[in-house]
Amino acid sequence: MKLIQNATIFRYYARYQNFTGFQAGNYELSKSMDMDDMMHALQDGVYMEEYAHTFIIPEGHQLEQIAVRIADETDYDEEDIMDVLTDDEWMEDLYEEYSFLEDDIFDSDVRYALEGYLFPAAYDFLEEDTPIEEMIESMLQRMAQVYETVQTDIVEENGDFGPAEELNVHEVLTLASIIEREAATAEDRRLISGVLHNRLEEGMRLEVDPTVAYAIGEHRYMTSLMI
């Protein structure tokens, strides 16, 4: 909601007005509140109902790892989560509901339909009995929102979607997943992205370690030639 337009000014104002002792928690604030109101609320510790489930999906996690992470932080078993994530009928329903899902997710070579589509972030759910499907859709919705925002920003700045202009959503996310696994820094991502797009334009194989590791089903950062 962008209640705090400038975090630095907010911190300086709090220090200047001697606001201290803020209480940790999840607060329900509104745009009708000024800075003093918000700071008093943070001091008083009057916050929203605590979440029943909270988990973080790190960048680079594959679908099976995401299932493990959710299972660790909820009452669901990993097997139950994977059953949902591999439910063909539900995948068909999601495909009809989310326009950014491509036909590619049903390709026989695709291990899991939603691999790469679940946005890495922190997720909070108030209800103890929140269905697995609702948790997964929250991640799917976040990906759709972020993808649209990034695409809009790039197009507004450059006039087009750059090298990704010729790729569909599935291809963009697949390439992004490879780059994320291969790169260590933001600068690395730019360099690796350029190299991989050049290889694609030349019709070359990508020949990067993450593709081999994913193909053999092992979480490796480096692969080696085995004779």
Side-chain angles (χ1 to χ4, degrees), residues 22-105:
F22 292 153
Q23 304 295 311
N26 302 297
Y27 292 82
E28 188 169 15
L29 308 176
S30 71
K31 290 185 176 181
S32 64
M33 303 172 71
D34 59 24
M35 284 202 289
D36 284 352
D37 292 333
M38 286 187 279
M39 290 182 185
H40 281 301
L42 295 174
Q43 281 184 320
D44 294 339
V46 180
Y47 51 88
M48 293 172 59
E49 178 183 352
E50 290 191 5
Y51 295 116
H53 303 294
T54 297
F55 54 80
I56 297 175
I57 304 302
E59 294 178 348
H61 260 36
Q62 295 179 12
L63 199 84
E64 292 168 334
Q65 293 173 299
I66 292 175
V68 171
R69 179 59 65 98
I70 296 174
D72 287 344
E73 301 299 333
T74 67
D75 296 328
Y76 293 113
D77 294 329
E78 180 185 344
E79 293 77 11
D80 294 332
I81 298 168
M82 288 303 301
D83 284 345
V84 171
L85 289 168
T86 54
D87 184 332
D88 291 338
E89 186 174 337
W90 188 53
M91 290 305 118
E92 292 282 357
D93 292 339
L94 293 178
Y95 175 74
E96 294 296 328
E97 183 175 353
Y98 295 93
S99 59
F100 84 120
L101 290 176
E102 304 280 353
D103 293 338
D104 304 61
I105 68 172

Side-chain angles (χ1 to χ4, degrees), residues 58-62 65 177-185 189 192 207-214 216-224:
E59 294 178 348
H61 260 36
Q62 295 179 12
Q65 293 173 299
S177 297
I178 295 171
I179 294 169
E180 177 62 35
R181 195 69 177 176
E182 182 78 356
T185 66
R189 292 187 188 95
I192 293 170
E207 296 185 332
V208 285
D209 290 333
T211 60
V212 178
Y214 184 77
I216 64 178
E218 295 184 9
H219 304 302
R220 297 183 179 183
Y221 283 95
M222 297 293 291
T223 57
S224 58

Side-chain angles (χ1 to χ4, degrees), residues 90-194:
W90 188 53
M91 290 305 118
E92 292 282 357
D93 292 339
L94 293 178
Y95 175 74
E96 294 296 328
E97 183 175 353
Y98 295 93
S99 59
F100 84 120
L101 290 176
E102 304 280 353
D103 293 338
D104 304 61
I105 68 172
F106 300 114
D107 192 297
S108 59
D109 292 330
V110 172
R111 186 179 298 167
Y112 299 118
L114 296 184
E115 187 89 85
Y117 283 89
L118 306 183
F119 192 77
Y123 293 92
D124 305 305
F125 301 95
L126 288 171
E127 301 300 327
E128 188 72 39
D129 58 349
T130 300
I132 298 172
E133 290 85 353
E134 184 177 329
M135 295 180 179
I136 300 304
E137 285 201 57
S138 293
M139 291 182 262
L140 192 61
Q141 290 165 3
R142 185 78 65 87
M143 177 62 79
Q145 293 166 356
V146 171
Y147 188 93
E148 182 180 354
T149 299
V150 170
Q151 184 180 45
T152 300
D153 290 346
I154 292 176
V155 171
E156 288 181 352
E157 183 175 343
N158 302 316
D160 58 37
F161 201 25
E165 188 75 28
E166 303 301 319
L167 306 177
N168 64 27
V169 175
H170 187 83
E171 292 167 335
V172 169
L173 293 181
T174 299
L175 195 59
S177 297
I178 295 171
I179 294 169
E180 177 62 35
R181 195 69 177 176
E182 182 78 356
T185 66
E187 181 60 27
D188 287 343
R189 292 187 188 95
R190 285 189 286 270
L191 293 174
I192 293 170
S193 177

